[in-house]
Amino acid sequence: MANLGRFKDRNADMRAAGVSSAVDAENTTGNCMIIFHPEEVAEQLIRAECKRLQIKNAGQLWPESPCLPTVSVPELMAIEQSKSRFAVFKEKFSEDMYLKQAKLAEAKPTGSKPDSVTNWSRTFGLVTTARERLYDLILPPKNAEQVNQEYGQFHDKYILSHNHYFPAEQINRKYSQPFDRLDTFGEATRGDTSGQSAKRCMQQCAGHVIIISKEQMDFIDRTYSRLGKKFKKYPAAVPQYMTYGTPTYVPDCDCKMLVEDIAPCKSDKQLVDALGHLNMWRHKLQKRADFQMFDLISVLEHSDKQQTRHLPTQKIFEVMHKMHLYIDVYKTRIMLSLFHMIIDEGCATERVNYDDFCRLLNIQHPLPTMGNIFTMPANVYNKETTYRLLCSDLSKEPVKAAPMRQLRPKQLDDNSTHVKDLLSPDISTLYGLAPSDFQLLRPRDQLLKIFKDIVSPEDFETIWEQLMQSHKEQNGQVSVHQFRELMDNLEAQAQAGNP
């Protein structure tokens, strides 16, 4: 467009080079690029036609124009409401006539039985002859062993129905041949499964040549002994007092006997061994899964013909040995004698209550109470140990604390305090004394300590005798105020007599 009018076309009547293409008015390039659905095209044509007719006939409603329906969706879905009562009755009658099944929660009427015969007035079928309960028929009583046995037998069906396996059970996926689940998976190794080459693999070097450094050899000589040779730990002569191996003789005396200076008691050792043997059997019978204490009691009851609940001791041990309970007879008799469970011990009528005996073997029941099984020596408490020396202070009499000072009567101090005492207090008040300290009754010793630097001993005795005669109701006690008042009176009389 920029060169329009600058050039002149000298061959205006000649066509351009090339082949001319026939162009249809409907199949234009714009129409070829549009991709649409036929339903959308039909809807668009109808809407364009309706719009054209509405413009042509303004003010008139064209019948073919699209409009919204007047019926709602719930009314369209509720078809039953639009039916008449006769139509509903006709459909129900037809269904009742040709329907072969009974309605929901209703019994199907047969029409061939009297009205008096109903499901509640008559019992149909054969009468069962079994007198068992329905619960026992559906879930019969079974013990734990029968339940476990049936559970194992039905396990393959339970796998198919529930896809449930036992813990650590291998899943059988039922692969077809040539698969074999017992084969070894993975690449086969070239190792010898017979074990003939194991010896050669364990050798350190070929030709039985073992290379060991001198430092390693010295360490082996210092630490380990050669095979079949004695360890040369002591290069010099071995002392005579040195013993190799575990001593076979175990002395009866131990460290406690040496410290406490007591003699060994073999009866205590036998009693301790018997008690340990009993505890071992109590734990062993508890851990055995194939043994129940009720079985032993049942066998003993079967042996008790007279039903006295007592059996001879030897008979009880024989029954236990038949049940493969090889308990030590000697140690068990010691424990039975200790707990006083043997009746007529040492006599021909010796017997034991097997209920108490089984209770003794049952770990769920405690052992009978008993005292100390060891023999206490007479000189066990005569050793001065560090602990006893530390605890010896407990036997001493505690130091008594000093007597507490008597509390001042606060009400007396408040009543005896005047304005003068507050404005010009005495020297004694400044040092912490109160009027009650001067009016408190004190014994002779305290007054002597208070006035020893003021009056002489002769004057003190004179004043004290006069106070005792004038104040007999005070039980030999005088206050400081009374003593000072009398002292001042005597001093005033002495000054008046000697002017």
Side-chain angles (χ1 to χ4, degrees), residues 78-143:
I79 303 175
E80 296 294 334
Q81 296 181 0
S82 61
K83 296 180 181 180
S84 62
R85 298 179 60 183
F86 179 75
V88 173
F89 173 75
K90 183 179 179 181
E91 292 179 358
K92 184 178 180 181
F93 182 77
S94 301
E95 291 178 359
D96 295 342
M97 181 180 297
Y98 298 103
L99 188 62
K100 301 299 182 181
Q101 298 179 356
K103 296 182 180 181
L104 183 62
E106 293 183 3
K108 183 180 179 180
T110 58
S112 60
K113 63 179 181 63
D115 296 338
S116 60
V117 178
T118 60
N119 292 337
W120 294 272
S121 62
R122 297 290 189 275
T123 302
F124 300 93
L126 299 177
V127 180
T128 177
T129 57
R131 298 182 179 179
E132 300 175 355
R133 297 185 305 169
L134 179 61
Y135 186 85
D136 296 337
L137 293 175
I138 299 176
L139 294 175
K142 299 179 182 178
N143 52 18

Side-chain angles (χ1 to χ4, degrees), residues 276-286 288 320 324-328 332 361:
H277 182 73
L278 177 62
N279 286 327
M280 179 194 68
W281 270 97
R282 284 163 63 92
H283 288 277
K284 185 184 295 185
L285 294 178
Q286 178 68 19
R288 289 185 60 171
M320 294 185 66
H324 303 285
L325 302 176
Y326 300 102
I327 191 171
D328 193 300
T332 308
L361 295 178

Side-chain angles (χ1 to χ4, degrees), residues 5 8 39 72 149 192 207 209 266 294 307 311 358 363 391 398 402 418-419 454 463 481:
K8 185 178 182 180
E39 294 182 358
S72 62
Q149 182 179 3
D192 186 9
V209 178
K266 295 183 179 180
F294 178 76
Q307 300 296 327
L311 284 176
C358 294
I363 198 174
C391 298
H418 304 284
V419 178
I454 300 176
I463 297 172
H481 180 71

Side-chain angles (χ1 to χ4, degrees), residues 4 94 127 136 154 171 174 260 276 284 296 317 419 451 471:
L4 184 62
S94 301
V127 180
D136 296 337
F154 194 75
I171 299 176
K174 298 181 180 180
E260 300 291 346
K284 185 184 295 185
L296 178 59
F317 293 141
V419 178
F451 293 98
H471 301 286

Side-chain angles (χ1 to χ4, degrees), residues 377-394:
N379 58 348
V380 69
Y381 294 114
N382 61 350
K383 304 296 186 299
E384 294 295 339
T385 61
T386 305
Y387 178 76
R388 292 174 183 173
L389 291 176
L390 292 174
C391 298
S392 61
D393 295 339
L394 298 175

Side-chain angles (χ1 to χ4, degrees), residues 351-474:
R351 61 193 183 276
V352 176
N353 189 338
Y354 52 83
D355 292 331
D356 297 339
F357 180 76
C358 294
R359 195 178 297 109
L360 185 66
L361 295 178
N362 194 352
I363 198 174
Q364 297 179 357
H365 296 274
L367 290 174
T369 56
M370 59 180 180
N372 190 4
I373 64 175
F374 292 98
T375 303
M376 301 300 295
N379 58 348
V380 69
Y381 294 114
N382 61 350
K383 304 296 186 299
E384 294 295 339
T385 61
T386 305
Y387 178 76
R388 292 174 183 173
L389 291 176
L390 292 174
C391 298
S392 61
D393 295 339
L394 298 175
S395 59
K396 298 180 180 179
E397 185 178 357
V399 179
K400 296 183 179 179
M404 297 180 60
R405 184 179 179 182
Q406 296 181 2
L407 298 178
R408 299 171 181 174
K410 186 175 182 304
Q411 187 66 27
L412 180 62
D413 293 340
D414 295 341
N415 297 333
S416 301
T417 303
H418 304 284
V419 178
K420 177 184 177 182
D421 299 332
L422 298 177
L423 296 177
S424 57
D426 297 338
I427 298 176
S428 60
T429 306
L430 296 177
Y431 280 93
L433 297 178
S436 61
D437 294 332
F438 297 96
Q439 299 178 6
L440 184 65
L441 298 179
R442 302 177 185 274
R444 183 176 181 280
D445 297 338
Q446 292 185 10
L447 293 175
L448 181 61
K449 290 180 182 180
I450 294 173
F451 293 98
K452 67 179 181 178
D453 296 334
I454 300 176
V455 296
S456 61
E458 293 80 5
D459 296 340
F460 180 83
E461 293 295 337
T462 304
I463 297 172
W464 180 260
E465 290 178 0
Q466 294 183 9
L467 290 173
M468 291 293 100
Q469 293 178 2
S470 59
H471 301 286
K472 296 180 179 180
E473 68 279 359
Q474 296 181 4

